[in-house]
Amino acid sequence: MASDSPTSSLSARRSAARWRMRLRDNALLLTVALAAIVLLAGLSGQVAAGIAAALAVFVAALAPRAGPARQEAKAPTLAAAAPDNLPSGSELAAAIADPLILADRHGVVIFANAAASLAFGRVHPGELVALRFRSPEMQELIEAALSGMAVRPVDYGERVPIERSFKVSVTRIGEDGRFALHFRDQSETRRIDRMRADFIANASHELRTPLASISGFIETLRGPARNDAEARERFLQIMHTQTGRMARLIDDLLSLSRLEMKPLAGAGTTVDLVALAREVTDSLGQMIRENEMALELDLPAEPVFVLANADEIVQVVENLVENACKYGQSGKRLDIALSNDEEEASLSVRDHGPGIPAEHIPRVTERFYRVDVETSRAQKGTGLGLAIVKHILTRHKGRLTIRSAPGEGATFTLHLPLAKDPTTR
């Protein structure tokens, strides 16, 4: 019979143990309560009512209480209900920001999330994943996944419509041969790595050239030119020029580093671009005259206020004017014009020199990029001026536009948002 089974016996023993424990826990309470009730009933003459009250207390004390056991009994019910609220596998895959493609044991696409379709075009369920990715490394990865072999992540690149790099890994799902291809976008990381490598190579090259020159002249002065006063004076002048070039390069590198550490400018103050343009042209008047250039200013009669860091905007305008003097001096003319609309102010610096070929314009704001290396070095350029200009304007939510054509000079225009409240200081 069921009552003689081991499970029933164990249940009965546990019930008896709980009953004894309840009696022991409530023994003192029962004793005190019964004594008090009987005493009060005797004093009032209602013995029968006292006995009835005592029995009620006794039954209440022995009644089952909602303790941990009952709470534990409710917990499985709540836990059992929780999985009904969990998202499905397809919902989880769709929520992943990286491209994700699920395939069955035959390599047929089961599901592709929106990120995969955005990255590789529409990926339709039912197509073979091997036909979508034909590069050798992807073919090897898919074959290994189909054969059930463990495989390391591989690098995969896309060149159309833009160049992108992915780290692709395979994860097996269940025991029926299904697998998932996960594509982690490495494009930004690779771009930063290339920029870092190019920057180190360019900076090393720019510093090595003057150092080699100075080292050679020192050896000459300590040897053959030891007693040649004329040669010594000439060599010392060249060494002075080279050390000045290294100092300018280091200053520009430090300036660029400071700008990159704080991508957004602070609150700033209102700056009058009309007064600032006059201040810069006055301070660089000697350079303009030395290059025999005629300065033409086209500035509004009224102030034009922008919210900015005044020192940084001065640095921007100075860099643009110095570049016009260095590389546009053959045109013998320098035009500076300021205009504004309801949203922004535009300050343009134009030279009438040889101009910039169209293929170079998108890259002239890159670090160390030069249209003509020899001319730039002869003009004491570091190759960082326009990169600094771009970073400063970006910090101020502005931008730089460049218009140029060979033989027609170049126009560099900075655009800055107007100050909403010109009275703010």
Side-chain angles (χ1 to χ4, degrees):
M1 295 176 64
S3 58
D4 296 333
S5 66
T7 303
S8 300
S9 300
L10 179 60
S11 178
R13 286 197 300 272
R14 286 179 176 175
S15 298
R18 284 198 296 270
W19 181 265
R20 288 193 298 273
M21 185 179 298
R22 192 176 300 118
L23 285 174
R24 185 173 60 252
D25 291 343
N26 294 302
L28 180 61
L29 175 63
L30 288 169
T31 303
V32 174
L34 287 172
I37 292 172
V38 171
L39 177 61
L40 291 174
L43 292 175
S44 60
Q46 298 179 357
V47 177
I51 294 174
L55 289 174
V57 171
F58 183 79
V59 172
L62 296 181
R65 291 178 297 173
R70 180 169 296 183
Q71 293 175 357
E72 291 176 1
K74 293 181 180 179
T77 304
L78 297 175
D84 294 338
N85 299 324
L86 291 177
S88 65
S90 59
E91 289 174 333
L92 289 173
I96 295 177
D98 294 330
L100 185 72
I101 298 176
L102 307 182
D104 64 13
R105 61 190 181 89
H106 301 294
V108 177
V109 175
I110 302 173
F111 174 83
N113 64 0
S117 296
L118 183 63
F120 311 117
R122 182 66 178 171
V123 181
H124 298 279
E127 67 176 300
L128 288 174
V129 69
L131 297 180
R132 170 66 68 160
F133 304 100
R134 296 179 178 273
S135 64
E137 61 272 15
M138 286 297 295
Q139 292 291 320
E140 293 178 5
L141 183 74
I142 294 168
E143 288 178 6
L146 292 174
S147 62
M149 297 171 55
V151 61
R152 298 170 63 93
V154 301
D155 294 323
Y156 172 68
E158 288 267 336
R159 296 186 177 275
V160 179
I162 58 174
E163 185 174 354
R164 291 169 301 171
S165 299
F166 297 93
K167 179 73 73 173
V168 189
S169 58
V170 171
T171 303
R172 300 194 65 79
I173 303 173
E175 301 296 333
D176 58 357
R178 290 177 297 169
F179 61 91
L181 292 175
H182 177 224
F183 298 77
R184 181 172 294 278
D185 196 338
Q186 304 285 309
S187 305
E188 184 64 16
T189 303
R190 299 291 176 84
R191 186 184 69 84
I192 293 173
D193 289 342
R194 286 196 299 268
M195 286 178 59
R196 184 184 296 112
D198 291 344
F199 176 77
I200 293 173
N202 288 325
S204 301
H205 177 74
E206 293 295 330
L207 289 172
R208 186 183 296 113
T209 301
L211 281 174
S213 176
I214 293 171
S215 177
F217 285 125
I218 290 175
E219 292 180 2
T220 304
L221 289 173
R222 296 178 63 182
R226 181 191 300 269
N227 300 316
D228 189 338
E230 182 179 351
R232 183 169 62 250
E233 187 64 28
R234 185 171 69 255
F235 293 162
L236 288 174
Q237 180 59 42
I238 297 174
M239 292 166 65
H240 177 73
T241 301
Q242 296 296 339
T243 54
R245 177 184 168 189
M246 284 194 296
R248 289 192 301 274
L249 178 60
I250 292 171
D251 288 342
D252 283 351
L253 287 172
L254 291 174
S255 179
L256 191 58
S257 176
R258 285 192 296 268
L259 293 172
E260 290 180 336
M261 289 179 66
K262 295 182 179 180
L264 292 178
T269 58
T270 52
V271 178
D272 179 12
L273 287 183
V274 175
L276 186 145
R278 294 189 185 278
E279 176 187 341
V280 171
T281 52
D282 289 342
S283 64
L284 297 179
Q286 182 63 30
M287 174 183 285
I288 296 172
R289 289 189 292 271
E290 287 178 355
N291 287 281
E292 300 178 354
M293 300 184 74
L295 175 63
E296 295 288 341
L297 287 176
D298 182 9
L299 305 176
E302 299 295 328
V304 176
F305 291 105
V306 296
L307 191 64
N309 181 304
D311 292 337
E312 292 186 2
I313 301 304
V314 166
Q315 186 178 7
V316 167
V317 180
E318 284 181 344
N319 275 340
L320 296 181
V321 173
E322 287 176 359
N323 278 355
C325 291
K326 292 175 182 177
Y327 308 114
Q329 57 183 319
S330 60
K332 302 301 181 183
R333 184 173 150 198
L334 175 62
D335 299 332
I336 298 179
L338 175 62
S339 62
N340 65 281
D341 55 24
E342 295 180 355
E343 297 294 331
E344 67 178 15
S346 301
L347 178 65
S348 62
V349 178
R350 181 185 180 188
D351 65 67
H352 295 265
I356 305 173
E359 64 270 20
H360 294 287
I361 291 177
R363 301 193 61 190
V364 293
T365 56
E366 295 179 10
R367 303 170 185 172
F368 298 112
Y369 188 83
R370 294 183 172 95
V371 177
D372 187 336
V373 176
E374 296 303 323
T375 301
S376 177
R377 288 178 177 168
Q379 296 295 337
K380 303 179 181 179
T382 62
L384 295 173
L386 290 178
I388 292 174
V389 167
K390 181 180 178 181
H391 274 77
I392 291 176
L393 292 179
T394 301
R395 278 165 49 85
H396 287 80
K397 299 181 181 179
R399 67 187 195 281
L400 177 71
T401 58
I402 305 171
R403 292 188 294 106
S404 183
E408 298 181 7
T411 302
F412 293 82
T413 305
L414 64 91
H415 305 269
L416 289 171
L418 290 175
K420 301 299 182 183
D421 184 7
T423 62
T424 303
R425 289 291 185 270

